[in-house]
Amino acid sequence: MAARTKDETLREFLAESEELLDTLHRNLAAIEHAPDSIGPETLNALFRAAHTLKGMSGVMGLAAVSDLAHSLEDVMDRLRMGKLAMSRALLDLLADGVEGLERLIASASGGQAPTDTGTLVERIRRAMDAPQAAASAALPPGLDPEIVKVLTEYEHHRLQETLKAGRHLFEVRAHFRFEDFDKALSKLTAKLQSAGEVITTLPSSGVSAKDGIGFTLLVGSQRDRNAMAQLLADEAVELVLVGEQDPGPAKPAPAPEAESASTRSLSQTIRVDIAKLDGLLNMLGELVLSKSVIAQISKDLLQNGGLVGPAMELHKAAQALEHRVSGLQEGLIEVRMIPVAQLFDRSIRAIKKIARDLGKDIQVVTSGEETKLDKSMVEAIADPLLHMIRNALDHGIESKDERRAAGKPDVGTIHLSAAQKGHTVNITVADDGAGIDLANVYQTALTRQLAVPGREYSQKEILDFLFQPGFSTAETVTEISGRGVGLDVVARHLAKLNGMVEVTTQLGQGTTFVLTLPITLVIIKALIVGVGPHTYAIPISAVAESVMVEANQVVTVGQRPVIQLRDHSLALLRLSDLFGIPSTERKDSRLYIIVVGLAEKRLGLVVDTIEGQQEIVIKAVGSMLQGIPGVAGATELGNRKTILVLDVGSLIDEAVGQRTAAMPRAA
């Protein structure tokens, strides 16, 4: 086996570290959610994650990560051993510690500048000098002293916690075949854990291949003896209730048939480098193109020769190939999908930190966390989402005094939700804050000469000003927001992702942002349109609708063609004018208009024909076409014709980037 390179080892470390950091964050969040019912499994998960991260970083030679993880491990060990009591201050300190680990690991990956965590380590060290936990409880009569004698310090602590909590204590005695005792014991342990806590598992003496092996499990549970006996009705075990008069052991059930011994892993999960998936998907993209070519040849042969002979056989083969390629495509894309819960978890941590800095009480409500997006999309949307959250916390949610004066609860609410709709996913950020003062936005736009004095603007058009570069209504600049870069950054990020954002607001009631994103950018659906002799592809995720209008509905405003589409004026762009090609617009004086929308802007593209939808793989254009506005790349159709894929974002920027300042409503 070839030795792994340093880069490969670092990538593996970073991938595993990310999972461990998620484990730490998730379990700290569980404690914050229910601080009065912290389960031992939560503390153990925290301890194991910190312990593993300490060891891994030590092997990698990352001393700062190892030292900080070691400090956190010590605190978590004392917590799980009952030697340290959890408190709000300690929970915040642990959260700071995990964030410190993130910064150090990001620094090790080259993503951030080196950071000094010496002060943080010292704070954690001082936290371990906090008052110790309460004294021990008396052991119940009937508990086998031989068992107590061999308990570890942690097991003894868990026994004490069980007794203090007044839970029932059981001894469960089981005997298994030697060949498969590991699986049988794991199954019994899982069943007992569903009813309580397995404090210890002790093997009996006299192990042999002939007689098998016995175990005694000490279990704490809220369930009484009858409930436990019912739970274990199909297990060959002896159940003893410790500390009370026991009616006798539960009737043992017949031993289940033994399964053959196996060395297979219990986990069915493997970790795959995203770059390898990208490579497979690129190959799949080529396969999709080949499939389209074969399908087109089959179609041409059928049209020329009819449903007979080799043409029919090729048609059947093409259909079978399409079916299998579609299955492969769905499977590979599914592998890249991750639930947005990971993104929400990170956002919740940011919300709490920012809220703490602002001195505001915030509750976060989430829904649709199971909705999946391509991993690259999740990472790309993280910064725009954070920008909106910052704005909501800084400008949206009022102070406690302001909320009381407005008759609102002291605690503000931010709702994060996700939902899939066809080939797109909607991610919503809603707050119950003050809402956006449209009059203030309009006045700021007038001051910056973005709005035309005396013109009547719709609510949507006024909200459009918020996405102008550098636009801000904040009177003071803060560390959180107010620098006028937030929503502009959101718009640009979404444009790159073929996404859209819709904003609604109600003064005094709150503001809602809805981001609409394609599920993946790997292989996309496109609308194929014709202009003169040329064909173009428009990503379907950027298409809002297509309409046909009479030519006399087009008016010219400020040297730009415009139509009135329902309650909005829509600027038009003729692709024939953009690319300097002759148009074959319909002789019946009707125009095909493809309404495209990216971020807060919309534009009507005037085309000659609409040829249908097709899956495409976007390829980079050559140096001769690079830099041409409106071109995102090229793709190949089934007829082996190479066409240009339009960059809707740059088209809108080119056509209507300044429209807000100059375009009055069409008559």
Side-chain angles (χ1 to χ4, degrees):
M1 182 186 299
R4 288 180 300 172
T5 66
K6 185 177 179 181
D7 287 346
E8 289 174 334
T9 305
L10 179 60
R11 281 199 297 272
E12 289 186 12
F13 166 77
L14 294 175
E16 193 162 351
S17 297
E18 187 176 21
E19 292 179 6
L20 293 169
L21 289 170
D22 280 344
T23 299
L24 290 167
H25 280 304
R26 189 169 58 253
N27 284 281
L28 288 178
I31 293 175
E32 183 168 16
H33 180 69
D36 297 327
S37 57
I38 304 172
E41 65 281 358
T42 300
L43 295 175
N44 281 331
L46 285 169
F47 171 77
R48 287 194 298 269
H51 176 77
T52 304
L53 193 53
K54 178 193 71 174
M56 288 169 43
S57 53
V59 171
M60 292 293 296
L62 302 173
V65 180
S66 183
D67 289 347
L68 181 53
H70 191 180
S71 300
L72 291 172
E73 177 195 16
D74 285 345
V75 174
M76 292 162 182
D77 189 39
R78 293 173 72 83
L79 281 169
R80 74 189 192 111
M81 299 293 286
K83 296 179 179 178
L84 195 62
M86 180 60 80
S87 64
R88 178 72 249 182
L90 183 56
L91 184 60
D92 290 341
L93 179 58
L94 291 175
D96 290 345
V98 176
E99 288 180 5
L101 286 174
E102 282 184 320
R103 292 195 300 273
L104 288 172
I105 292 171
S107 175
S109 69
Q112 290 185 10
T115 182
D116 182 10
T117 54
T119 304
L120 182 58
V121 172
E122 178 59 23
R123 285 174 55 204
I124 296 172
R125 189 192 64 76
R126 288 199 303 269
M128 287 189 288
D129 297 332
Q132 305 299 300
S136 300
L139 296 178
L143 179 60
D144 188 345
E146 294 301 317
I147 292 179
V148 177
K149 192 182 300 181
V150 297
L151 291 179
T152 66
E153 185 182 9
Y154 173 72
E155 291 168 341
H156 195 275
H157 163 65
R158 293 312 311 163
L159 172 61
Q160 287 290 323
E161 290 298 301
T162 295
L163 297 174
K164 291 175 189 174
R167 292 189 284 268
H168 297 294
L169 191 62
F170 296 94
E171 283 185 26
V172 180
R173 299 162 188 162
H175 204 87
F176 305 111
R177 288 160 50 96
F178 188 76
E179 291 84 355
D180 63 348
F181 77 90
D182 52 344
K183 284 189 173 183
L185 180 59
S186 296
K187 178 186 170 189
L188 175 63
T189 301
K191 184 174 287 189
L192 292 170
Q193 286 174 333
S194 70
E197 179 185 359
V198 177
I199 298 169
T200 187
T201 301
L202 301 172
S204 62
S205 58
V207 179
S208 72
K210 179 181 178 182
D211 299 328
I213 182 171
F215 289 90
T216 297
L217 297 91
L218 197 58
V219 181
S221 175
Q222 296 285 5
R223 299 190 186 186
D224 61 18
R225 189 185 186 287
N226 290 334
M228 289 295 284
Q230 187 175 3
L231 175 72
L232 301 173
D234 59 348
E235 301 287 345
V237 299
E238 179 184 352
L239 180 66
V240 178
L241 178 59
V242 177
E244 295 183 12
Q245 187 174 4
D246 190 36
K251 183 180 179 181
E257 288 294 327
E259 298 179 8
S260 58
S262 172
T263 59
R264 289 180 298 175
S265 170
L266 295 175
S267 171
Q268 297 297 314
T269 303
I270 61 172
R271 184 183 296 120
V272 180
D273 191 329
I274 192 72
K276 294 180 179 178
L277 287 179
D278 287 343
L280 286 175
L281 282 165
N282 285 334
M283 293 173 62
L284 176 63
E286 298 297 331
L287 192 57
V288 169
L289 292 178
S290 299
K291 175 205 71 176
S292 299
V293 171
I294 293 173
Q296 186 64 45
I297 293 173
S298 167
K299 182 180 177 182
D300 293 343
L301 287 174
L302 286 176
Q303 288 177 344
N304 295 330
L307 301 173
V308 294
M312 191 61 197
E313 294 302 318
L314 180 60
H315 176 66
K316 292 179 181 177
Q319 286 186 319
L321 177 62
E322 180 172 0
H323 177 71
R324 290 182 173 85
V325 169
S326 296
L328 179 60
Q329 178 181 330
E330 290 175 4
L332 272 177
I333 290 178
E334 177 63 25
V335 170
R336 295 172 60 98
M337 296 295 169
I338 60 173
V340 297
Q342 296 182 21
L343 180 62
F344 283 4
D345 286 345
R346 279 182 271 166
S347 300
I348 291 171
R349 294 197 294 271
I351 289 171
K352 291 180 178 175
K353 185 175 186 305
I354 296 170
R356 194 164 59 237
D357 293 342
L358 291 170
K360 295 180 178 179
D361 290 334
I362 305 292
Q363 66 170 349
V364 185
V365 179
T366 60
S367 59
E369 302 95 324
E370 69 283 358
T371 306
K372 290 184 177 180
L373 265 178
D374 190 296
K375 178 175 174 57
S376 60
M377 188 69 76
V378 169
E379 297 303 323
I381 200 63
D383 286 342
L385 192 65
L386 182 59
H387 277 302
M388 286 187 291
I389 288 171
R390 285 175 179 273
N391 278 325
L393 289 168
D394 202 10
H395 302 310
I397 305 288
E398 311 94 327
S399 68
K400 189 178 295 184
D401 290 342
E402 290 170 333
R403 292 182 66 85
R404 285 177 181 170
K408 294 182 175 180
D410 288 356
V411 179
T413 299
I414 289 183
H415 191 175
L416 299 176
S417 64
Q420 182 175 347
K421 294 188 175 181
H423 292 281
T424 62
V425 166
N426 287 353
I427 295 180
T428 302
V429 181
D431 68 71
D432 69 343
I436 298 173
D437 187 341
L438 296 178
N440 190 19
V441 174
Y442 175 69
Q443 287 299 325
T444 303
L446 280 178
T447 302
R448 296 192 54 189
Q449 298 183 333
L450 294 172
V452 178
R455 181 197 154 187
E456 180 183 351
Y457 287 87
S458 67
Q459 175 174 318
K460 181 180 182 306
E461 288 173 320
I462 294 175
L463 290 172
D464 282 354
F465 290 123
L466 296 172
F467 293 88
Q468 291 292 326
F471 191 93
S472 175
T473 60
E475 296 179 357
T476 58
V477 173
T478 71
E479 291 297 322
I480 306 301
S481 62
R483 298 179 186 276
V485 297
L487 293 181
D488 178 39
V489 172
V490 170
R492 283 192 282 112
H493 270 79
L494 289 175
K496 291 179 182 176
L497 300 172
N498 287 330
M500 295 185 290
V501 58
E502 296 290 339
V503 189
T504 56
T505 188
Q506 188 171 355
L507 196 60
Q509 301 299 314
T511 302
T512 299
F513 289 85
V514 180
L515 310 184
T516 301
L517 298 157
I519 292 177
T520 179
L521 292 176
V522 178
I523 298 174
I524 65 170
K525 276 200 170 183
L527 185 66
I528 310 301
V529 300
V531 180
H534 299 283
T535 306
Y536 300 92
I538 305 173
I540 203 74
S541 59
V543 176
E545 60 181 313
S546 60
V547 296
M548 181 181 287
V549 301
E550 299 292 339
N552 59 13
Q553 290 181 253
V554 179
V555 297
T556 301
V557 180
Q559 299 182 335
R560 185 173 302 286
V562 174
I563 63 168
Q564 189 70 21
L565 183 62
R566 293 184 285 278
D567 62 338
H568 295 101
S569 54
L570 179 70
L572 302 182
L573 175 65
R574 283 185 165 85
L575 292 183
S576 56
D577 294 342
L578 177 69
F579 295 113
I581 54 179
S583 171
T584 57
E585 287 184 2
R586 295 169 62 89
K587 295 180 180 178
D588 57 4
S589 299
R590 290 186 174 183
L591 303 178
Y592 281 122
I593 296 176
I594 311 300
V595 183
V596 294
L598 286 177
E600 84 290 2
K601 305 167 187 172
R602 288 181 187 268
L603 176 69
L605 299 178
V606 181
V607 302
D608 295 343
T609 59
I610 299 176
E611 300 180 7
Q613 297 183 19
Q614 184 170 326
E615 288 181 334
I616 64 168
V617 180
I618 301 179
K619 301 290 185 182
V621 294
S623 57
M624 290 183 62
L625 295 177
Q626 279 184 349
I628 296 180
V631 176
T635 191
E636 187 176 348
L637 300 181
N639 58 8
R640 286 172 284 187
K641 182 179 181 180
T642 300
I643 65 173
L644 295 178
V645 181
L646 300 184
D647 180 351
V648 176
S650 68
L651 284 179
I652 293 177
D653 287 341
E654 182 76 12
V656 297
Q658 303 302 322
R659 70 182 169 90
T660 313
M663 188 171 57
R665 185 186 297 276

